[in-house]
Amino acid sequence: MDQDDGLTAVDNIVTQFNTYEDFLDSQITTVDLFYLEDEGLARQLVELGYRGTGEVVKREDFESRKAAIEIARLAERTQKKTLTSAGKNLQENFLKALAVREEDNRNGKVSEVDAAHTLKKQLSVIFIRDRNSHGQEISGYIDYAHRLKSEDFEVYFTGKKRLLPRSTDLSFYNWDSQVAVWNSTPNYQVIADNPEGLLFKYKRDRKILNVDPKALPGDNSTRIPIQTELYIQAVIFDHVSRRKT
């Protein structure tokens, strides 16, 4: 038997049995137990190759291959965690904009830039104004990263549902009932008592995002209006936080 065949045989055994003891027990016959009258001794004899009905596998080989297969399985599962927008032929501008930003917001992607060893991370706030299912005009600001972690965006990227602000988002306003709600999230602190309008403070770098369309959005932030047929109005605010290592 060559090395590849040996590894294949061990892999088959490792995937079939949860523990090395389970494998040893599978090699022990009722006749062995009748004559030896000791399960522990029977296991030792199988491990040494004196008893058994199949392949001889050393404990260290079994455990090392078990660990290697588990590592490979976890790595494969991680790789399969593709983005929700991946592979979809998106035609709508708003959905395209969300897709471009999904990886950064979903995975909290951090990259090192410049010689000063500064770490940067991009997060996005989405503003939407439209009508709900009751025909009422609503608007609000959505923490994109937080919503990605709390719900499945498959229904949005496939067009089955439209992303709309909720009363649990950063802000929500119903223009008909005049109900207004604000909520801080893991990424942003809401500053609602500002006389000039609503502000969001990034918790990572403590920079302020000003969502007033007549004002600058703030340090390291950009305001991008999205031309879309899905909503009355849609705007995405991107912020890149920088932190020295």
Side-chain angles (χ1 to χ4, degrees):
M1 179 186 297
D2 61 28
Q3 185 177 6
D4 290 340
D5 290 338
L7 287 175
T8 301
V10 173
D11 287 350
N12 289 337
I13 292 170
V14 166
T15 54
Q16 185 177 354
F17 300 99
N18 290 327
T19 66
Y20 186 65
E21 283 67 28
D22 290 343
F23 163 66
L24 294 178
D25 290 345
S26 73
Q27 303 294 299
I28 300 171
T29 66
T30 53
V31 176
D32 292 331
L33 290 175
F34 177 79
Y35 285 108
L36 295 172
E37 298 181 347
D38 187 327
E39 185 178 45
L41 177 59
R43 285 178 174 176
Q44 291 179 23
L45 293 175
V46 172
E47 188 169 356
L48 292 171
Y50 295 116
R51 284 287 189 276
T53 59
E55 188 74 24
V56 177
V57 178
K58 295 180 180 179
R59 181 182 293 273
E60 56 267 29
D61 292 339
F62 180 95
E63 292 179 349
S64 64
R65 289 303 298 160
K66 190 77 169 177
I69 289 174
E70 179 64 14
I71 291 172
R73 186 184 67 82
L74 291 174
E76 182 180 4
R77 188 172 67 180
T78 300
Q79 291 174 356
K80 287 183 178 179
K81 286 185 176 179
T82 55
L83 301 176
T84 310
S85 58
K88 292 180 173 58
N89 184 22
L90 302 174
Q91 301 296 325
E92 218 290 323
N93 290 337
F94 178 77
L95 296 180
K96 287 180 180 179
L98 292 191
V100 168
R101 294 163 173 81
E102 185 184 2
E103 183 176 9
D104 286 344
N105 283 271
R106 180 182 293 280
N107 300 328
K109 185 178 179 181
V110 177
S111 58
E112 187 173 319
V113 294
D114 66 43
H117 299 287
T118 301
L119 295 178
K120 69 175 184 177
K121 178 178 181 180
Q122 179 173 306
L123 293 175
S124 304
V125 170
I126 305 166
F127 172 77
I128 290 175
R129 180 166 68 93
D130 207 77
R131 296 189 179 277
N132 61 18
S133 58
H134 301 291
Q136 299 172 321
E137 185 172 337
I138 60 173
S139 64
Y141 292 89
I142 299 169
D143 177 348
Y144 188 24
H146 185 52
R147 281 284 286 265
L148 279 170
K149 287 180 171 60
S150 60
E151 66 177 305
D152 186 358
F153 265 61
E154 180 74 18
V155 292
Y156 303 129
F157 283 119
T158 56
K160 294 179 181 179
K161 292 178 63 177
R162 289 185 311 140
L163 178 67
L164 288 173
R166 297 174 177 173
S167 59
T168 54
D169 283 316
L170 278 170
S171 79
F172 173 84
Y173 185 64
N174 186 310
W175 292 81
D176 290 17
S177 64
Q178 296 188 345
V179 171
V181 182
W182 297 275
N183 304 283
S184 293
T185 69
N187 301 308
Y188 309 96
Q189 175 187 343
V190 178
I191 302 175
D193 56 358
N194 177 49
E196 297 181 0
L198 197 62
L199 300 174
F200 302 119
K201 179 189 286 187
Y202 292 88
K203 293 183 177 180
R204 177 180 168 85
D205 62 7
R206 306 184 67 81
K207 299 290 186 180
I208 298 296
L209 171 64
N210 190 336
V211 295
D212 184 348
K214 297 179 182 179
L216 295 175
D219 292 343
N220 305 326
S221 295
T222 55
R223 180 183 187 274
I224 305 172
I226 306 297
Q227 298 298 320
T228 174
E229 296 181 358
L230 291 179
Y231 306 102
I232 296 173
Q233 185 181 8
V235 179
I236 296 180
F237 297 86
D238 292 323
H239 177 75
V240 177
S241 64
R242 292 179 169 86
R243 187 168 61 186
K244 293 286 185 67
T245 57

PDB file of all heavy atoms in Angstrom, residues 104 109-122 204 220 240-245:
ATOM      1  N   ASP A 104     -17.549  45.005   3.394  1.00  0.00           N
ATOM      2  CA  ASP A 104     -17.005  45.866   4.443  1.00  0.00           C
ATOM      3  C   ASP A 104     -17.919  45.927   5.654  1.00  0.00           C
ATOM      4  O   ASP A 104     -17.472  45.866   6.800  1.00  0.00           O
ATOM      5  CB  ASP A 104     -16.788  47.283   3.904  1.00  0.00           C
ATOM      6  CG  ASP A 104     -15.583  47.365   2.983  1.00  0.00           C
ATOM      7  OD1 ASP A 104     -14.754  46.439   3.005  1.00  0.00           O
ATOM      8  OD2 ASP A 104     -15.479  48.344   2.230  1.00  0.00           O
ATOM      9  N   LYS A 109     -14.509  44.528   7.717  1.00  0.00           N
ATOM     10  CA  LYS A 109     -13.204  44.412   7.087  1.00  0.00           C
ATOM     11  C   LYS A 109     -12.274  45.537   7.534  1.00  0.00           C
ATOM     12  O   LYS A 109     -12.609  46.706   7.462  1.00  0.00           O
ATOM     13  CB  LYS A 109     -13.363  44.435   5.563  1.00  0.00           C
ATOM     14  CG  LYS A 109     -12.065  44.194   4.803  1.00  0.00           C
ATOM     15  CD  LYS A 109     -12.339  44.192   3.308  1.00  0.00           C
ATOM     16  CE  LYS A 109     -11.076  43.975   2.501  1.00  0.00           C
ATOM     17  NZ  LYS A 109     -11.336  44.006   1.057  1.00  0.00           N
ATOM     18  N   VAL A 110     -11.107  45.162   7.996  1.00  0.00           N
ATOM     19  CA  VAL A 110     -10.108  46.125   8.433  1.00  0.00           C
ATOM     20  C   VAL A 110      -8.843  45.904   7.624  1.00  0.00           C
ATOM     21  O   VAL A 110      -8.387  44.782   7.456  1.00  0.00           O
ATOM     22  CB  VAL A 110      -9.783  45.970   9.933  1.00  0.00           C
ATOM     23  CG1 VAL A 110      -8.693  46.939  10.352  1.00  0.00           C
ATOM     24  CG2 VAL A 110     -11.039  46.186  10.764  1.00  0.00           C
ATOM     25  N   SER A 111      -8.257  46.963   7.105  1.00  0.00           N
ATOM     26  CA  SER A 111      -7.030  46.836   6.336  1.00  0.00           C
ATOM     27  C   SER A 111      -6.006  47.850   6.823  1.00  0.00           C
ATOM     28  O   SER A 111      -6.360  48.904   7.350  1.00  0.00           O
ATOM     29  CB  SER A 111      -7.301  47.042   4.839  1.00  0.00           C
ATOM     30  OG  SER A 111      -7.878  48.301   4.624  1.00  0.00           O
ATOM     31  N   GLU A 112      -4.737  47.506   6.654  1.00  0.00           N
ATOM     32  CA  GLU A 112      -3.663  48.403   7.088  1.00  0.00           C
ATOM     33  C   GLU A 112      -3.243  49.287   5.930  1.00  0.00           C
ATOM     34  O   GLU A 112      -3.070  48.836   4.809  1.00  0.00           O
ATOM     35  CB  GLU A 112      -2.475  47.578   7.573  1.00  0.00           C
ATOM     36  CG  GLU A 112      -1.367  48.420   8.200  1.00  0.00           C
ATOM     37  CD  GLU A 112      -0.283  47.571   8.830  1.00  0.00           C
ATOM     38  OE1 GLU A 112      -0.629  46.567   9.473  1.00  0.00           O
ATOM     39  OE2 GLU A 112       0.887  47.914   8.659  1.00  0.00           O
ATOM     40  N   VAL A 113      -3.102  50.561   6.206  1.00  0.00           N
ATOM     41  CA  VAL A 113      -2.712  51.501   5.159  1.00  0.00           C
ATOM     42  C   VAL A 113      -1.555  52.368   5.631  1.00  0.00           C
ATOM     43  O   VAL A 113      -1.348  52.563   6.821  1.00  0.00           O
ATOM     44  CB  VAL A 113      -3.894  52.419   4.756  1.00  0.00           C
ATOM     45  CG1 VAL A 113      -4.996  51.624   4.113  1.00  0.00           C
ATOM     46  CG2 VAL A 113      -4.421  53.180   5.956  1.00  0.00           C
ATOM     47  N   ASP A 114      -0.828  52.890   4.711  1.00  0.00           N
ATOM     48  CA  ASP A 114       0.292  53.807   4.851  1.00  0.00           C
ATOM     49  C   ASP A 114       1.363  53.323   5.825  1.00  0.00           C
ATOM     50  O   ASP A 114       1.203  52.337   6.533  1.00  0.00           O
ATOM     51  CB  ASP A 114      -0.170  55.234   5.183  1.00  0.00           C
ATOM     52  CG  ASP A 114      -0.826  55.381   6.538  1.00  0.00           C
ATOM     53  OD1 ASP A 114      -0.321  54.808   7.501  1.00  0.00           O
ATOM     54  OD2 ASP A 114      -1.835  56.108   6.612  1.00  0.00           O
ATOM     55  N   ALA A 115       2.471  54.079   5.849  1.00  0.00           N
ATOM     56  CA  ALA A 115       3.621  53.692   6.659  1.00  0.00           C
ATOM     57  C   ALA A 115       3.407  53.969   8.139  1.00  0.00           C
ATOM     58  O   ALA A 115       4.198  53.545   8.976  1.00  0.00           O
ATOM     59  CB  ALA A 115       4.864  54.435   6.178  1.00  0.00           C
ATOM     60  N   ALA A 116       2.352  54.677   8.472  1.00  0.00           N
ATOM     61  CA  ALA A 116       2.088  55.010   9.879  1.00  0.00           C
ATOM     62  C   ALA A 116       1.347  53.903  10.605  1.00  0.00           C
ATOM     63  O   ALA A 116       0.956  54.056  11.746  1.00  0.00           O
ATOM     64  CB  ALA A 116       1.277  56.301   9.959  1.00  0.00           C
ATOM     65  N   HIS A 117       1.138  52.774   9.909  1.00  0.00           N
ATOM     66  CA  HIS A 117       0.445  51.628  10.499  1.00  0.00           C
ATOM     67  C   HIS A 117      -0.938  52.028  11.025  1.00  0.00           C
ATOM     68  O   HIS A 117      -1.273  51.800  12.187  1.00  0.00           O
ATOM     69  CB  HIS A 117       1.276  51.005  11.618  1.00  0.00           C
ATOM     70  CG  HIS A 117       2.610  50.489  11.154  1.00  0.00           C
ATOM     71  ND1 HIS A 117       2.750  49.355  10.396  1.00  0.00           N
ATOM     72  CD2 HIS A 117       3.846  50.981  11.332  1.00  0.00           C
ATOM     73  CE1 HIS A 117       4.032  49.152  10.128  1.00  0.00           C
ATOM     74  NE2 HIS A 117       4.719  50.133  10.676  1.00  0.00           N
ATOM     75  N   THR A 118      -1.701  52.634  10.165  1.00  0.00           N
ATOM     76  CA  THR A 118      -3.052  53.054  10.512  1.00  0.00           C
ATOM     77  C   THR A 118      -4.058  52.032   9.990  1.00  0.00           C
ATOM     78  O   THR A 118      -3.998  51.631   8.834  1.00  0.00           O
ATOM     79  CB  THR A 118      -3.365  54.436   9.897  1.00  0.00           C
ATOM     80  OG1 THR A 118      -2.422  55.376  10.386  1.00  0.00           O
ATOM     81  CG2 THR A 118      -4.760  54.888  10.268  1.00  0.00           C
ATOM     82  N   LEU A 119      -4.977  51.620  10.854  1.00  0.00           N
ATOM     83  CA  LEU A 119      -6.019  50.679  10.465  1.00  0.00           C
ATOM     84  C   LEU A 119      -7.257  51.450  10.034  1.00  0.00           C
ATOM     85  O   LEU A 119      -7.657  52.419  10.680  1.00  0.00           O
ATOM     86  CB  LEU A 119      -6.372  49.751  11.633  1.00  0.00           C
ATOM     87  CG  LEU A 119      -5.265  48.807  12.099  1.00  0.00           C
ATOM     88  CD1 LEU A 119      -5.746  47.999  13.290  1.00  0.00           C
ATOM     89  CD2 LEU A 119      -4.818  47.889  10.979  1.00  0.00           C
ATOM     90  N   LYS A 120      -7.866  51.024   8.932  1.00  0.00           N
ATOM     91  CA  LYS A 120      -9.075  51.695   8.481  1.00  0.00           C
ATOM     92  C   LYS A 120     -10.214  50.694   8.349  1.00  0.00           C
ATOM     93  O   LYS A 120     -10.009  49.529   8.026  1.00  0.00           O
ATOM     94  CB  LYS A 120      -8.848  52.417   7.158  1.00  0.00           C
ATOM     95  CG  LYS A 120      -8.638  51.507   5.960  1.00  0.00           C
ATOM     96  CD  LYS A 120      -8.545  52.317   4.676  1.00  0.00           C
ATOM     97  CE  LYS A 120      -8.438  51.413   3.454  1.00  0.00           C
ATOM     98  NZ  LYS A 120      -8.412  52.172   2.196  1.00  0.00           N
ATOM     99  N   LYS A 121     -11.425  51.187   8.622  1.00  0.00           N
ATOM    100  CA  LYS A 121     -12.619  50.343   8.555  1.00  0.00           C
ATOM    101  C   LYS A 121     -13.757  51.191   8.011  1.00  0.00           C
ATOM    102  O   LYS A 121     -13.955  52.319   8.464  1.00  0.00           O
ATOM    103  CB  LYS A 121     -12.970  49.815   9.946  1.00  0.00           C
ATOM    104  CG  LYS A 121     -14.229  48.969   9.999  1.00  0.00           C
ATOM    105  CD  LYS A 121     -14.467  48.458  11.410  1.00  0.00           C
ATOM    106  CE  LYS A 121     -15.711  47.591  11.473  1.00  0.00           C
ATOM    107  NZ  LYS A 121     -15.971  47.075  12.831  1.00  0.00           N
ATOM    108  N   GLN A 122     -14.478  50.659   7.036  1.00  0.00           N
ATOM    109  CA  GLN A 122     -15.579  51.414   6.443  1.00  0.00           C
ATOM    110  C   GLN A 122     -16.918  50.871   6.885  1.00  0.00           C
ATOM    111  O   GLN A 122     -17.159  49.662   6.865  1.00  0.00           O
ATOM    112  CB  GLN A 122     -15.509  51.369   4.910  1.00  0.00           C
ATOM    113  CG  GLN A 122     -16.667  52.125   4.245  1.00  0.00           C
ATOM    114  CD  GLN A 122     -16.531  52.232   2.750  1.00  0.00           C
ATOM    115  OE1 GLN A 122     -15.514  52.693   2.250  1.00  0.00           O
ATOM    116  NE2 GLN A 122     -17.543  51.790   2.013  1.00  0.00           N
ATOM    117  N   ARG A 204     -16.371  53.860  17.136  1.00  0.00           N
ATOM    118  CA  ARG A 204     -14.992  53.405  16.961  1.00  0.00           C
ATOM    119  C   ARG A 204     -14.002  54.553  17.053  1.00  0.00           C
ATOM    120  O   ARG A 204     -12.994  54.463  17.753  1.00  0.00           O
ATOM    121  CB  ARG A 204     -14.855  52.691  15.615  1.00  0.00           C
ATOM    122  CG  ARG A 204     -13.429  52.236  15.290  1.00  0.00           C
ATOM    123  CD  ARG A 204     -13.402  51.543  13.935  1.00  0.00           C
ATOM    124  NE  ARG A 204     -12.047  51.340  13.465  1.00  0.00           N
ATOM    125  CZ  ARG A 204     -11.283  50.316  13.798  1.00  0.00           C
ATOM    126  NH1 ARG A 204     -11.738  49.406  14.641  1.00  0.00           N
ATOM    127  NH2 ARG A 204     -10.064  50.199  13.318  1.00  0.00           N
ATOM    128  N   ASN A 220     -13.795  62.245   7.240  1.00  0.00           N
ATOM    129  CA  ASN A 220     -13.692  60.896   6.670  1.00  0.00           C
ATOM    130  C   ASN A 220     -15.043  60.311   6.264  1.00  0.00           C
ATOM    131  O   ASN A 220     -15.196  59.096   6.186  1.00  0.00           O
ATOM    132  CB  ASN A 220     -13.001  59.945   7.656  1.00  0.00           C
ATOM    133  CG  ASN A 220     -11.648  60.443   8.107  1.00  0.00           C
ATOM    134  OD1 ASN A 220     -10.935  61.077   7.338  1.00  0.00           O
ATOM    135  ND2 ASN A 220     -11.307  60.165   9.354  1.00  0.00           N
ATOM    136  N   VAL A 240     -15.046  56.162   6.833  1.00  0.00           N
ATOM    137  CA  VAL A 240     -13.833  55.363   7.020  1.00  0.00           C
ATOM    138  C   VAL A 240     -13.187  55.813   8.318  1.00  0.00           C
ATOM    139  O   VAL A 240     -12.724  56.955   8.426  1.00  0.00           O
ATOM    140  CB  VAL A 240     -12.862  55.529   5.835  1.00  0.00           C
ATOM    141  CG1 VAL A 240     -11.585  54.739   6.102  1.00  0.00           C
ATOM    142  CG2 VAL A 240     -13.515  55.057   4.542  1.00  0.00           C
ATOM    143  N   SER A 241     -13.176  54.908   9.292  1.00  0.00           N
ATOM    144  CA  SER A 241     -12.514  55.236  10.563  1.00  0.00           C
ATOM    145  C   SER A 241     -11.062  54.793  10.500  1.00  0.00           C
ATOM    146  O   SER A 241     -10.750  53.757   9.940  1.00  0.00           O
ATOM    147  CB  SER A 241     -13.234  54.554  11.734  1.00  0.00           C
ATOM    148  OG  SER A 241     -13.150  53.146  11.632  1.00  0.00           O
ATOM    149  N   ARG A 242     -10.192  55.599  11.063  1.00  0.00           N
ATOM    150  CA  ARG A 242      -8.766  55.319  11.075  1.00  0.00           C
ATOM    151  C   ARG A 242      -8.276  55.301  12.510  1.00  0.00           C
ATOM    152  O   ARG A 242      -8.650  56.146  13.316  1.00  0.00           O
ATOM    153  CB  ARG A 242      -7.995  56.367  10.257  1.00  0.00           C
ATOM    154  CG  ARG A 242      -8.269  56.292   8.772  1.00  0.00           C
ATOM    155  CD  ARG A 242      -7.507  57.374   8.015  1.00  0.00           C
ATOM    156  NE  ARG A 242      -7.540  57.159   6.576  1.00  0.00           N
ATOM    157  CZ  ARG A 242      -8.506  57.583   5.787  1.00  0.00           C
ATOM    158  NH1 ARG A 242      -9.529  58.233   6.296  1.00  0.00           N
ATOM    159  NH2 ARG A 242      -8.478  57.349   4.483  1.00  0.00           N
ATOM    160  N   ARG A 243      -7.432  54.300  12.787  1.00  0.00           N
ATOM    161  CA  ARG A 243      -6.913  54.191  14.146  1.00  0.00           C
ATOM    162  C   ARG A 243      -5.491  53.677  14.101  1.00  0.00           C
ATOM    163  O   ARG A 243      -5.183  52.702  13.416  1.00  0.00           O
ATOM    164  CB  ARG A 243      -7.780  53.256  14.991  1.00  0.00           C
ATOM    165  CG  ARG A 243      -7.415  53.208  16.461  1.00  0.00           C
ATOM    166  CD  ARG A 243      -8.487  52.502  17.263  1.00  0.00           C
ATOM    167  NE  ARG A 243      -8.695  51.132  16.854  1.00  0.00           N
ATOM    168  CZ  ARG A 243      -9.651  50.342  17.323  1.00  0.00           C
ATOM    169  NH1 ARG A 243     -10.527  50.822  18.176  1.00  0.00           N
ATOM    170  NH2 ARG A 243      -9.751  49.102  16.918  1.00  0.00           N
ATOM    171  N   LYS A 244      -4.596  54.342  14.821  1.00  0.00           N
ATOM    172  CA  LYS A 244      -3.185  53.927  14.877  1.00  0.00           C
ATOM    173  C   LYS A 244      -3.081  52.612  15.643  1.00  0.00           C
ATOM    174  O   LYS A 244      -3.748  52.383  16.636  1.00  0.00           O
ATOM    175  CB  LYS A 244      -2.340  54.991  15.581  1.00  0.00           C
ATOM    176  CG  LYS A 244      -2.228  56.306  14.815  1.00  0.00           C
ATOM    177  CD  LYS A 244      -1.303  56.177  13.638  1.00  0.00           C
ATOM    178  CE  LYS A 244      -1.084  57.518  12.934  1.00  0.00           C
ATOM    179  NZ  LYS A 244      -0.348  58.465  13.762  1.00  0.00           N
ATOM    180  N   THR A 245      -2.191  51.730  15.156  1.00  0.00           N
ATOM    181  CA  THR A 245      -1.965  50.464  15.851  1.00  0.00           C
ATOM    182  C   THR A 245      -0.899  50.652  16.913  1.00  0.00           C
ATOM    183  O   THR A 245      -0.123  51.583  16.877  1.00  0.00           O
ATOM    184  CB  THR A 245      -1.503  49.404  14.858  1.00  0.00           C
ATOM    185  OG1 THR A 245      -0.324  49.850  14.188  1.00  0.00           O
ATOM    186  CG2 THR A 245      -2.592  49.120  13.827  1.00  0.00           C
TER     187      THR A 245
END
